[in-house]
Amino acid sequence: MRAPTTPVLVTGGTGFIGSWCVLALLDAGYSVRTTVRDLRREPTLRSWLHAATPFDDDRLTVVRADLEHPDGWDTAVAGCEYVLHVASPTLRGTPADDDALVVPAREGVLRVLRAGRDAGVRRTVLTSAFGAVGIGHPPRSAPFTEEDWTDVDSDIPPYQRSKTLAERAAWRFVEDEGGGMELAAVHPVGVLGPLLGPDDPPSLRLVRRMLEGRVPACPPFGMGFVDVRDVADLHLRAMTDPAAAGQRFLATAGPSLRVVEIARILRDRLGERAAHAPTREMPVWLARALGTVNPELRLLRHQLGRDLDATSAKAERLLGWRARPIGDTVAETAESLLAHGLGR
């Protein structure tokens, strides 16, 4: 692809997916502007990126903007043809109610879209999630596709509710008030892959805990997984390909994988360094019982005993996207965690 002279905005550049999107853009020759909530993180981000790829510092600009506040967004989007809206509000601990996540997520998306429309942004790519597609449905054998939406009227966790309502708000805004700005959405399943720095992204904590021996038995469910580098690649394809306008794209490396299969890959590929990885899957009844006292298992209640399959056939057909083998990704995730002093 030909890199434009105008910068691409990536929101949330210090996040796991965001940092890899910044790196992919720099590798492709783009100039990048990225937002952070705290400018004190800029030197850390630059050091991570320089360790991963050579680039001229003037091709990366870091600005302060917070999804929960209006300041800074006009400056962030000024002169940009494309926006990758990767950032999502974060919350420490369990939210007291759904609005603690839903309102910031929805208002943050709208804040970015309004600023982009007013600045003449051509296309925004929204990082949504499988959580906006396949949660709250009765058991099914067919894989989920981009035609599916999470059922927000069912008893689902706040995160999945927030991603779904934020994405629906984004599509309504572009249709009713977008002024011709295009929107595409990327929906990763469980995101694994190597770290750019010694960070602790939530999506890697399962692998980290397995390496540390903190998962005595695997929770009984399966889901799709995908490499963060392939997620970044899909963002860039959705950013420029004419076929992506107005479309949603699931990102998964293949059929669902049981959690115990992740542990098996770790033991097979890392040997003694993964000696603490669990060898068995706990019964569904036990996982449900433990969920009454374990908040993490309680959030998985809709997945226990199920295999949540999804397909990336649409991204492969329309955009030529391909995911690398998930076994390689699992092994490289663990290798990266250990190399950064995590997972020991």
Side-chain angles (χ1 to χ4, degrees):
M1 66 182 75
R2 182 182 62 84
T5 56
T6 56
V8 177
L9 176 66
V10 179
T11 67
T14 56
F16 186 40
I17 296 175
S19 60
W20 276 101
C21 285
V22 171
L23 180 62
L25 288 163
L26 291 170
D27 273 343
Y30 288 87
S31 293
V32 183
R33 186 182 298 150
T34 190
T35 65
V36 296
R37 287 182 296 170
D38 186 345
L39 283 173
R40 289 175 295 184
R41 294 208 68 188
E42 178 179 353
T44 298
L45 175 61
R46 285 187 183 275
S47 69
W48 291 355
L49 295 168
H50 276 300
T53 192
F55 67 94
D56 294 332
D57 262 318
D58 59 4
R59 285 204 293 126
L60 175 64
T61 305
V62 182
V63 298
R64 185 188 180 282
D66 189 325
L67 290 177
E68 298 189 45
H69 300 282
D71 300 340
W73 289 107
D74 291 344
T75 300
V77 299
C80 293
E81 185 177 0
Y82 302 112
V83 172
L84 305 186
H85 179 37
V86 187
S88 186
T90 57
L91 187 70
R92 295 184 181 276
T94 303
D97 57 65
D98 282 9
D99 284 349
L101 271 180
V102 170
V103 173
R106 182 179 59 226
E107 295 308 309
V109 166
L110 295 177
R111 188 164 280 132
V112 173
L113 291 176
R114 287 192 194 99
R117 175 202 60 193
D118 295 345
V121 167
R122 177 181 171 186
R123 182 181 295 177
T124 296
V125 179
L126 171 66
T127 310
S128 189
F130 176 77
V133 173
I135 306 301
H137 298 278
R140 57 189 273 182
S141 57
F144 287 96
T145 74
E146 293 83 358
E147 298 299 315
D148 294 304
W149 282 88
T150 283
D151 181 4
V152 295
D153 294 324
S154 62
D155 178 26
I156 62 174
Y159 174 78
Q160 284 84 352
R161 188 183 303 277
S162 73
K163 297 299 284 189
T164 309
L165 294 176
E167 189 192 347
R168 284 200 177 276
W171 288 112
R172 283 195 301 271
F173 174 86
V174 168
E175 181 178 355
D176 298 340
E177 306 176 50
M181 181 175 62
E182 298 172 345
L183 180 67
V186 174
H187 295 75
V189 290
V191 182
L192 302 175
L195 291 160
L196 287 176
D199 207 0
D200 186 28
S203 65
L204 302 193
R205 287 176 188 163
L206 174 63
V207 174
R208 179 178 178 178
R209 289 170 181 170
M210 285 183 175
L211 294 173
E212 294 171 339
R214 294 165 57 194
V215 182
C218 294
F221 72 91
M223 59 180 287
F225 293 91
V226 66
D227 194 294
V228 66
R229 294 164 291 187
D230 296 328
V231 174
D233 175 58
L234 183 52
H235 277 75
L236 268 64
R237 292 171 185 266
M239 181 179 81
T240 58
D241 196 312
Q247 302 295 328
R248 308 170 85 207
F249 296 99
L250 277 160
T252 182
S256 66
L257 203 63
R258 301 290 286 193
V259 176
V260 72
E261 293 178 276
I262 298 285
R264 188 175 300 123
I265 292 169
L266 291 174
R267 294 195 308 274
D268 290 346
R269 299 285 286 267
L270 273 76
E272 284 302 312
R273 290 177 298 158
H276 297 303
T279 60
R280 57 196 173 90
E281 182 178 274
M282 72 176 67
V284 175
W285 67 265
L286 178 58
R288 294 194 187 282
L290 291 174
T292 61
V293 294
N294 184 310
E296 293 184 357
L297 282 174
R298 188 179 311 128
L299 290 175
L300 294 172
R301 61 187 179 276
H302 289 285
Q303 297 169 238
L304 296 177
R306 298 180 60 184
D307 290 278
L308 296 178
D309 261 325
T311 175
S312 285
K314 182 178 178 180
E316 294 169 4
R317 183 180 71 253
L318 291 185
L319 305 183
W321 179 80
R322 295 291 184 274
R324 69 198 70 201
I326 198 60
D328 293 345
T329 295
V330 171
E332 291 180 45
T333 300
E335 295 281 8
S336 179
L337 286 166
L338 293 171
H340 284 101
L342 306 169
R344 295 175 177 168

